[in-house]
Amino acid sequence: MNRSIALVDCNNFYVSCERVFNPKLKNKSVVVLSNNDGCAVARSEEVKALGVRMGEPWFQFKHLAKKHNIITCSSNYALYADMSDRVMSILSKFSPNQEIYSIDECFLDFTGFCEDDLTNYAQKICRCIQQQTGLPVCIGIGTSKTLAKLANHIAKKNLSFQGVCNFNAMAIQEQDKWLHKIKVGKVWGVGKKIAPKLQQIGIYKIGDLKNINPSILNLQFSVSLKKTIYELNNIVCFELEETTAQKKQITCSRSFGVLITSFKSLEQSMALYVSRAAEKLRRQNLYTGSIHIYICTSPFNKKESCYENSVTIPLPEQTDNTLKLIQLSSFGLRKIYRNGYKYQKAGVILSKLVSSKERQPDLFSKKDGRKKSDSLMAALDQINELMGKKILIIAAEGITQPWKMRQSNMSPKYTTNWNDLIVASQFI
């Protein structure tokens, strides 16, 4: 029995989410900018055709946007996360085995399904997602995850496939024909850094990589590349992960809307980021054993002196308590802060994460203290979840937050805020 793995990928996901609730954006040049409206994190096909690269800073293509009437949207992650949940929920009904790979990608196991109807079945999934969410998706099918991703890439780039490319329905010769058309940097596990090294030894296309003996690459490249070659040859190396792997770290960082020069403002921003990271920590039922904070000035401002620094603080006992983490971040910030600089960005990284079962209490800590901490954090999260985000905040985060990041073109939270619900009709 042939193994059949499908990769379902939402097309231009962030842009597509914006278009669902604002039909005026359809067939228009649209780009979604990152936090603080810094750089492009999603581009419509029209914007890609203009040469705007993924991650390109806004100030570098601002003139192009004005010339070609590119519409810019600020990131609306609450909307994107909710739309992603809806898509993944629908997809879970089409296969007993599902691996959510990213916010807009999902692997499904079709092994054992009727192979003659698999392409039609996948096209049915595309129509279902489009009908129930308004989002366009493409599906690639192959015997391995690597081939499924490549098939998905082909489906996106070639309209003749009608959104579905099924390698398992192709002869090997036809598969190889497609693989010899795609640059080696496009294959999963290679990327921009490794591709030039492969090109130096004559591997330019994915078909070239497939046909090479893996043992030749052992000394120059990692085991991961060897597995990629095996997967291209229908030998499975990467199984579906039905449960999400525990995260190794949680990060929260932002660029400021205005440059910060005072310690107080920097301390407030750090408290806010620690609070966000701690919320994510508790949502995943994890505890952290180490907190790392960093600050930096703008690397692009050549007129001002540059400064960056960081500090890692190990915790005597793993915790998910926002108050304790903010206290530690404030202590660390005093160690690395230097007066006289204009700070552009700050961030926090929580690492050495453990689950509640793996949590190791401090020998000298009081059991009642841990219970009170857990109860306090649970009450904080429950009130904010019930009444709305940031109904309760930690005072250290500040109230006015003049340094808060810019989001000048953010769309409403159509699906997660009652006040932002679209009104279909209104009677007077």
Side-chain angles (χ1 to χ4, degrees), residues 81-127:
D82 187 68
M83 293 297 285
S84 174
D85 289 343
R86 296 182 185 209
V87 170
M88 301 308 167
S89 177
I90 295 168
L91 290 174
S92 67
K93 300 173 184 176
F94 286 93
S95 171
N97 298 322
Q98 175 189 32
E99 178 190 337
I100 299 174
Y101 184 66
S102 68
I103 193 170
D104 61 345
E105 291 179 283
C106 171
F107 286 105
L108 298 175
D109 192 347
F110 289 158
T111 305
F113 288 41
C114 182
E115 292 187 7
D116 295 337
D117 297 327
L118 211 51
T119 302
N120 292 332
Y121 186 67
Q123 287 174 340
K124 178 183 176 182
I125 294 174
C126 292
R127 291 193 296 271

XYZ file of all heavy atoms in Angstrom, residues 81-127:
379
model
N -5.164 34.090 13.836
C -5.154 32.888 14.682
C -6.525 32.235 14.718
O -6.645 31.002 14.659
C -4.696 33.247 16.093
N -7.575 33.049 14.793
C -8.926 32.502 14.842
C -9.299 31.842 13.513
O -9.905 30.764 13.499
C -9.931 33.610 15.172
C -11.329 33.058 15.398
O -11.532 32.347 16.406
O -12.216 33.314 14.556
N -8.928 32.474 12.405
C -9.209 31.882 11.091
C -8.440 30.575 10.913
O -8.936 29.606 10.337
C -8.857 32.878 9.991
C -9.741 34.111 9.943
S -11.481 33.716 9.584
C -11.384 33.349 7.828
N -7.205 30.539 11.434
C -6.414 29.314 11.373
C -7.086 28.186 12.146
O -7.160 27.042 11.673
C -5.022 29.572 11.953
O -4.274 28.371 12.041
N -7.594 28.500 13.342
C -8.290 27.487 14.148
C -9.483 26.914 13.391
O -9.755 25.710 13.447
C -8.756 28.097 15.471
C -7.608 28.388 16.422
O -6.513 27.839 16.203
O -7.805 29.168 17.371
N -10.199 27.768 12.676
C -11.369 27.317 11.919
C -10.959 26.373 10.785
O -11.590 25.339 10.562
C -12.122 28.523 11.347
C -12.696 29.434 12.425
C -13.468 30.599 11.835
N -13.896 31.520 12.893
C -14.982 32.276 12.815
N -15.744 32.247 11.744
N -15.291 33.078 13.811
N -9.890 26.741 10.081
C -9.411 25.898 8.976
C -8.958 24.543 9.505
O -9.333 23.494 8.959
C -8.255 26.595 8.230
C -7.592 25.631 7.237
C -8.750 27.825 7.493
N -8.173 24.533 10.578
C -7.649 23.275 11.119
C -8.766 22.396 11.667
O -8.707 21.166 11.576
C -6.607 23.551 12.208
C -5.403 24.363 11.736
S -4.633 23.668 10.245
C -3.562 25.026 9.759
N -9.782 23.012 12.225
C -10.929 22.251 12.725
C -11.664 21.553 11.585
O -12.061 20.387 11.706
C -11.879 23.185 13.475
O -13.028 22.490 13.909
N -11.834 22.249 10.484
C -12.503 21.654 9.315
C -11.667 20.509 8.759
O -12.176 19.435 8.445
C -12.747 22.724 8.227
C -13.734 23.774 8.731
C -13.256 22.088 6.936
C -13.827 25.012 7.853
N -10.346 20.724 8.646
C -9.460 19.712 8.069
C -9.413 18.435 8.907
O -9.215 17.343 8.377
C -8.049 20.281 7.920
C -7.866 21.365 6.850
C -6.456 21.946 6.906
C -8.159 20.821 5.457
N -9.587 18.576 10.211
C -9.531 17.401 11.095
C -10.621 16.386 10.779
O -10.506 15.214 11.135
C -9.639 17.841 12.558
O -10.925 18.375 12.841
N -11.665 16.839 10.096
C -12.782 15.941 9.750
C -12.512 15.114 8.488
O -13.274 14.206 8.165
C -14.054 16.765 9.561
C -14.467 17.543 10.803
C -15.628 18.486 10.523
C -15.964 19.329 11.755
N -17.036 20.315 11.484
N -11.430 15.432 7.776
C -11.150 14.753 6.508
C -10.085 13.674 6.621
O -9.807 12.969 5.656
C -10.721 15.780 5.448
C -11.854 16.613 4.930
C -12.143 17.845 5.506
C -12.648 16.167 3.880
C -13.186 18.619 5.029
C -13.689 16.933 3.401
C -13.973 18.163 3.973
N -9.448 13.559 7.810
C -8.430 12.531 7.989
C -8.323 12.177 9.469
O -8.431 13.057 10.324
C -7.076 13.031 7.482
O -6.042 12.133 7.838
N -8.077 10.904 9.781
C -7.927 10.517 11.188
C -6.616 10.991 11.796
O -6.479 11.074 13.015
C -7.988 8.983 11.132
C -7.521 8.639 9.754
C -7.998 9.747 8.873
N -5.622 11.287 10.945
C -4.309 11.731 11.418
C -3.986 13.104 10.846
O -3.948 13.284 9.622
C -3.219 10.738 11.015
C -3.441 9.368 11.628
O -3.865 9.257 12.773
N -3.174 8.322 10.867
N -3.724 14.059 11.732
C -3.478 15.435 11.326
C -2.295 15.988 12.113
O -2.175 15.779 13.310
C -4.723 16.298 11.595
C -4.549 17.777 11.311
C -5.737 18.601 11.794
O -6.388 18.255 12.791
N -6.041 19.681 11.100
N -1.418 16.697 11.411
C -0.326 17.420 12.069
C -0.396 18.889 11.658
O -0.220 19.227 10.478
C 1.039 16.865 11.672
C 2.191 17.647 12.306
C 3.556 17.285 11.746
O 3.704 16.169 11.196
O 4.470 18.126 11.845
N -0.683 19.754 12.617
C -0.712 21.191 12.347
C 0.731 21.670 12.337
O 1.388 21.710 13.380
C -1.554 21.941 13.385
C -3.010 21.438 13.339
C -1.497 23.446 13.145
C -3.893 22.012 14.434
N 1.219 22.033 11.155
C 2.628 22.362 10.990
C 2.909 23.833 11.278
O 3.953 24.173 11.830
C 3.056 22.006 9.565
C 4.525 22.226 9.302
C 5.481 21.462 9.963
C 4.944 23.194 8.401
C 6.831 21.664 9.732
C 6.293 23.405 8.156
C 7.240 22.634 8.821
O 8.571 22.851 8.593
N 2.006 24.711 10.908
C 2.155 26.141 11.168
C 0.770 26.770 11.158
O -0.238 26.070 11.020
C 3.062 26.796 10.123
O 2.430 26.805 8.852
N 0.711 28.094 11.272
C -0.579 28.774 11.342
C -1.393 28.582 10.064
O -2.617 28.606 10.085
C -0.388 30.285 11.629
C -1.725 30.935 12.015
C 0.268 31.002 10.442
C -1.590 32.342 12.548
N -0.719 28.311 8.937
C -1.445 28.178 7.667
C -1.141 26.878 6.928
O -1.520 26.706 5.772
C -1.143 29.367 6.749
C 0.333 29.473 6.393
O 1.154 28.819 7.070
O 0.665 30.209 5.445
N -0.454 25.925 7.597
C -0.102 24.661 6.952
C -0.491 23.478 7.836
O -0.368 23.543 9.056
C 1.398 24.585 6.682
C 1.911 25.535 5.630
C 3.404 25.393 5.465
O 4.138 25.913 6.324
O 3.838 24.771 4.483
N -0.890 22.406 7.169
C -1.334 21.227 7.910
C -1.084 19.971 7.080
O -1.376 19.940 5.881
C -2.826 21.369 8.222
S -3.596 19.907 8.909
N -0.499 18.950 7.708
C -0.326 17.651 7.053
C -1.521 16.756 7.400
O -1.978 16.734 8.554
C 0.954 16.964 7.528
C 2.216 17.551 6.968
C 3.040 18.343 7.761
C 2.591 17.303 5.649
C 4.212 18.878 7.251
C 3.762 17.844 5.136
C 4.573 18.629 5.935
N -2.001 16.010 6.416
C -3.055 15.017 6.613
C -2.577 13.680 6.065
O -1.910 13.630 5.027
C -4.343 15.427 5.895
C -5.025 16.722 6.338
C -6.216 17.017 5.438
C -5.473 16.651 7.786
N -2.919 12.608 6.743
C -2.537 11.266 6.292
C -3.708 10.635 5.539
O -4.768 10.391 6.118
C -2.153 10.401 7.492
C -1.469 9.105 7.074
O -1.519 8.761 5.876
O -0.881 8.437 7.940
N -3.505 10.405 4.236
C -4.543 9.782 3.399
C -4.222 8.324 3.089
O -4.851 7.727 2.220
C -4.685 10.548 2.077
C -5.314 11.910 2.208
C -5.100 12.877 1.239
C -6.117 12.224 3.288
C -5.685 14.138 1.336
C -6.700 13.467 3.411
C -6.486 14.432 2.431
N -3.239 7.753 3.783
C -2.857 6.360 3.535
C -4.059 5.437 3.768
O -4.713 5.508 4.806
C -1.700 5.940 4.449
O -0.612 6.849 4.274
C -1.234 4.531 4.121
N -4.332 4.563 2.785
C -5.471 3.659 2.894
C -6.722 4.178 2.210
O -7.672 3.426 1.997
N -6.733 5.467 1.861
C -7.857 6.022 1.107
C -7.792 5.499 -0.324
O -6.743 5.104 -0.810
C -7.798 7.555 1.088
C -8.130 8.206 2.406
C -7.679 7.688 3.605
C -8.881 9.358 2.451
C -7.970 8.283 4.816
C -9.169 9.975 3.657
C -8.711 9.436 4.847
N -8.907 5.516 -1.012
C -8.964 5.063 -2.396
C -8.124 5.997 -3.269
O -8.451 7.167 -3.429
C -10.404 5.036 -2.898
S -10.553 4.439 -4.598
N -7.017 5.483 -3.828
C -6.084 6.326 -4.558
C -6.697 6.905 -5.840
O -6.314 7.982 -6.279
C -4.817 5.532 -4.892
C -3.995 5.186 -3.658
C -2.664 4.547 -4.008
O -2.340 4.514 -5.217
O -1.956 4.101 -3.098
N -7.613 6.187 -6.459
C -8.222 6.671 -7.701
C -8.997 7.957 -7.478
O -9.133 8.769 -8.389
C -9.152 5.600 -8.284
C -8.385 4.351 -8.726
O -7.163 4.488 -8.994
O -8.979 3.273 -8.794
N -9.535 8.131 -6.259
C -10.377 9.294 -5.977
C -9.663 10.352 -5.138
O -10.289 11.326 -4.722
C -11.648 8.843 -5.232
C -12.509 7.904 -6.066
O -12.528 8.057 -7.301
O -13.132 7.022 -5.463
N -8.357 10.166 -4.876
C -7.660 11.036 -3.945
C -7.570 12.482 -4.434
O -7.741 13.421 -3.650
C -6.251 10.493 -3.678
C -5.663 10.768 -2.286
C -6.637 10.352 -1.189
C -4.339 10.030 -2.128
N -7.350 12.669 -5.718
C -7.295 14.025 -6.269
C -8.641 14.721 -6.134
O -8.723 15.879 -5.720
C -6.856 13.996 -7.747
O -5.575 13.361 -7.850
C -6.766 15.407 -8.318
N -9.700 14.003 -6.464
C -11.046 14.570 -6.329
C -11.379 14.858 -4.867
O -12.029 15.862 -4.553
C -12.094 13.605 -6.911
C -11.981 13.487 -8.419
O -11.540 14.421 -9.082
N -12.367 12.343 -8.959
N -10.925 13.967 -3.982
C -11.164 14.149 -2.548
C -10.470 15.427 -2.057
O -11.040 16.208 -1.295
C -10.644 12.932 -1.797
C -10.941 12.912 -0.308
C -12.252 12.779 0.156
C -9.915 13.009 0.630
C -12.529 12.750 1.522
C -10.174 12.975 1.987
C -11.490 12.840 2.437
O -11.756 12.814 3.777
N -9.246 15.642 -2.519
C -8.499 16.840 -2.127
C -9.166 18.102 -2.676
O -9.222 19.130 -1.994
C -7.057 16.734 -2.625
N -9.664 18.032 -3.893
C -10.352 19.195 -4.468
C -11.651 19.498 -3.711
O -12.042 20.658 -3.566
C -10.637 18.948 -5.953
C -9.380 19.032 -6.806
C -9.599 18.645 -8.255
O -10.569 17.963 -8.585
N -8.693 19.064 -9.129
N -12.267 18.446 -3.195
C -13.454 18.631 -2.357
C -13.088 19.391 -1.078
O -13.849 20.259 -0.623
C -14.057 17.261 -2.003
C -15.273 17.329 -1.095
C -15.751 15.926 -0.727
C -16.909 16.003 0.269
N -17.356 14.634 0.686
N -11.922 19.066 -0.514
C -11.450 19.765 0.681
C -11.230 21.246 0.376
O -11.618 22.128 1.156
C -10.149 19.119 1.204
C -10.415 17.688 1.698
C -9.537 19.959 2.338
C -9.158 16.930 2.091
N -10.615 21.523 -0.763
C -10.383 22.923 -1.168
C -11.699 23.692 -1.257
O -11.795 24.825 -0.766
C -9.672 22.974 -2.520
S -7.973 22.373 -2.507
N -12.701 23.064 -1.853
C -14.009 23.730 -2.002
C -14.664 23.933 -0.650
O -15.303 24.966 -0.396
C -14.916 22.903 -2.914
C -14.480 22.875 -4.377
C -15.577 22.318 -5.272
N -15.869 20.917 -4.969
C -15.254 19.877 -5.526
N -14.304 20.077 -6.434
N -15.583 18.639 -5.217
